[in-house]
DNA sequence: ATAAATGCAAAGCATTTGCAACCAT
DNA sequence: ATGGTTGCAAATGCTTTGCATTTAT
């Protein structure tokens, strides 16, 4: 029996992977689209998006989410770290010291001027990890 | 002479700040909108967005950008950190070890299950910091 | 043969913006 | 009086999706 959610090897998907592997520039979906289009003029942007999603869900590539499609706002403007629950989406402040020394370390890695950094932890919050353990009890 | 970009104190802006200061939940713009609307039914969503931006530009609040309004993709699916140039938007991989021990630290802070973390550094890349120093030479 | 993947175009949705009226300074 | 700010509505821009068709297995 074939596994459900089997992933086919299509020329569009191969082309996308090849474009991505051929650059160090962490491109946007649209840039990938333009590149793939050079070899495959009829490829559609929808296909690019669908494949980028599939590939990152399968751990073959990594998505770096930027921008602000659903920003959240924090009245505490002091620098601090956050915990994000991947299950329910809640965001909590973390009471831990800022690792200023990391910025100096990064500046030594290259010719960077580092102004600040963002550190956030992902996982399950107290509520959600409790719910999951209850669910597995019910088996 | 009044400073350019002077920020007025309007009742809309005050209401937004008050809503934000009255919660620990890191709300979305729309949640803020719904809350402010309870006291000020004619406030517009545009005003909420404009003020949230102004306030965070002035360092009174903090914006936490989530989602994927312009995602970037990385063929390197191994966990690694990034440097983002705030001036030109370029993204570079950083060659530094993953700080796994931080996740254990966070788990001790509360009842969290931490699966992974995201750490990125912001500043000026080599090119952009060079351009800026050239500009200031021209004064 | 079958279900995954595609191209195309339309829809979704958070966010931004143009503009005339308004109001804090 | 001045120009920052507002409400309203239309627009923007990245991303997603419905559907008929194609294609990898």
């Amino acid at each position: 029996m074939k596994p459900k959610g089997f992933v086919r090897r299509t020329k569009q998907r191969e082309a996308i992977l090849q474009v991505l592997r051929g650059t160090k520039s962490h491109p946007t979906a649209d840039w990938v689209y333009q590149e793939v289009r050079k070899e495959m003029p009829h490829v559609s942007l929808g296909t690019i998006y669908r494949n980028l999603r599939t590939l990152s869900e399968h751990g073959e590539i990594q998505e770096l989410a930027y921008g602000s499609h659903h920003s959240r706002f924090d009245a505490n403007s002091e620098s601090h770290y956050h915990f994000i629950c991947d299950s329910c989406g809640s965001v909590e402040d973390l009471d831990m010291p800022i690792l200023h020394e990391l910025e100096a370390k990064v500046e030594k890695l290259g010719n960077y001027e580092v102004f600040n950094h963002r550190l956030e932890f992902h996982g399950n919050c107290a509520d959600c990890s409790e719910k999951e353990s209850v669910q597995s009890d019910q088996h």
Side-chain angles (χ1 to χ4, degrees), chain A:
Chain A
M1 172 189 154
K2 271 181 198 164
K4 207 156 193 176
F6 182 80
V7 176
R8 286 184 188 166
R9 174 175 302 180
T10 63
K11 40 182 194 304
Q12 290 85 344
R13 185 164 295 152
E14 294 296 309
I16 290 168
L17 258 180
Q18 197 178 317
V19 162
L20 222 43
R21 288 185 176 145
T23 180
K24 297 200 308 178
S25 73
H26 306 79
T28 61
D30 196 68
W31 190 89
V32 173
Y33 174 51
Q34 302 304 341
E35 288 300 305
V36 172
R37 220 152 56 136
K38 288 178 185 169
E39 302 300 320
M40 204 178 280
H42 285 285
V43 73
S44 82
L45 192 51
T47 295
I48 304 295
Y49 275 105
R50 276 184 292 232
N51 277 299
L52 289 171
R53 169 128 48 96
T54 303
L55 288 167
S56 68
E57 281 173 356
H58 286 251
E60 294 205 60
I61 65 172
Q62 194 171 156
E63 175 175 359
L64 311 172
Y66 292 115
S68 52
H69 202 63
H70 33 270
S71 278
R72 289 166 164 274
F73 297 87
D74 189 342
N76 177 3
S77 61
E78 304 267 303
S79 179
H80 59 282
Y81 300 144
H82 291 102
F83 174 86
I84 293 96
C85 178
D86 288 338
S87 177
C88 71
S90 66
V91 179
E92 295 178 38
D93 291 336
L94 290 174
D95 184 23
M96 64 189 284
I98 301 300
L99 304 166
H100 297 289
E101 68 276 15
L102 292 177
E103 301 190 0
K105 251 183 207 166
V106 170
E107 293 196 326
K108 278 181 200 142
L109 287 179
N111 218 342
Y112 304 119
E113 267 187 282
V114 180
F115 301 146
N116 52 58
H117 65 275
R118 171 180 177 171
L119 172 57
E120 57 187 40
F121 297 84
H122 289 256
N124 278 348
C125 67
D127 283 358
C128 288
S129 44
E130 198 182 329
K131 272 175 203 153
E132 285 194 6
S133 65
V134 170
Q135 282 187 331
S136 58
D137 285 353
Q138 292 175 331
H139 269 238

